[in-house]
Amino acid sequence: MRALRAGAAGVLVETADGEQAQALHAEVLRRRAEGRLPGGPGPGGLLEVVPAARTVLVDGLADPAAFAAAVAGWGELPPPVPGSGGTVELPVRFDGPDLDEVAAGWGTSREGVAEVLTATAFRVAFCGFAPGFGYLAGLPEELRVPRRATPRTAVPAGSVGLAGPYAGVYPRSSPGGWQLVGRTDAVLWDPGRDPAALLAPGTDVRFTEVR
């Protein structure tokens, strides 16, 4: 891991891969919960932890230089504990327009794709792209699919898609190039809800099939 200063009270930690970023995110949250990462002089002394594909930003540190020096010595990090970040079940109708293409690529049927996705333990690795959009890690490498060669100009809200190592759900209608395999009625983003995002980094996600 490589730690870089980010502003007056932050450190950006670069990791070798997404799995290490998820493990580091879980470890930072655990140490924060234990009071081992005191917040700094920012608003409320709040310690913010923001994961991305291969980085974790820790901001609001009381002593960012000390954290940057120490984090590289944390050694091999344990994988996140299942359920430690909560679990969300998303009912999905597997009828997406790219379902046949994904099934052909996997060498299975439409029903086979649904069986694989409902059996996969996904975890929100990080959020981005649009408010409420979580990048769900957990697909084995052999089942990763490429983005569409030509993105759609409009993807309906609730569409369940696959791209590279991730699955995801479009929280609102937007352009998009993911392979669409289903749809859900779950509300991913509601500004009137606390928290507004249904899926936060570290949350376990399971798809259930709606027929």
Side-chain angles (χ1 to χ4, degrees):
M1 295 188 291
R2 185 170 71 134
L4 306 169
R5 290 290 300 273
V11 172
L12 180 70
V13 184
E14 295 179 339
T15 63
D17 51 37
E19 287 74 19
Q20 191 178 37
Q22 291 182 62
L24 175 61
H25 174 243
E27 181 68 13
V28 172
L29 292 184
R30 185 176 68 82
R31 294 185 181 225
R32 182 178 66 175
E34 294 172 350
R36 299 165 63 187
L37 297 175
L46 182 63
L47 187 66
E48 292 188 281
V49 185
V50 184
R54 291 179 54 186
T55 63
V56 176
L57 173 67
V58 183
D59 199 13
L61 290 159
D63 190 345
F67 176 83
V71 69
W74 286 4
E76 185 173 350
L77 300 171
V81 177
S84 58
T87 302
V88 171
E89 290 192 356
L90 295 178
V92 175
R93 292 178 178 82
F94 289 96
D95 58 0
D98 300 319
L99 187 56
D100 287 333
E101 185 173 338
V102 171
W106 287 3
T108 186
S109 61
R110 295 166 67 95
E111 293 75 16
V113 173
E115 290 175 0
V116 168
L117 293 177
T118 54
T120 300
F122 289 102
R123 185 179 183 86
V124 183
F126 59 98
C127 294
F129 170 62
F133 189 95
Y135 288 76
L136 310 182
L139 275 178
E141 187 169 355
E142 66 271 17
L143 297 183
R144 296 175 181 180
V145 300
R147 294 169 60 90
R148 289 174 51 83
T150 303
R152 293 182 169 89
T153 56
V155 175
S159 295
V160 178
L162 306 175
Y166 302 113
V169 182
Y170 285 77
R172 65 185 184 191
S173 178
S174 67
W178 291 36
Q179 305 272 4
L180 306 182
V181 295
R183 54 195 166 95
T184 179
D185 293 330
V187 178
L188 276 293
W189 178 258
D190 180 358
R193 185 175 58 197
D194 186 20
L198 181 63
L199 305 180
T203 303
D204 289 344
V205 177
R206 287 195 174 277
F207 294 134
T208 59
E209 184 173 10
V210 176
R211 299 182 183 277

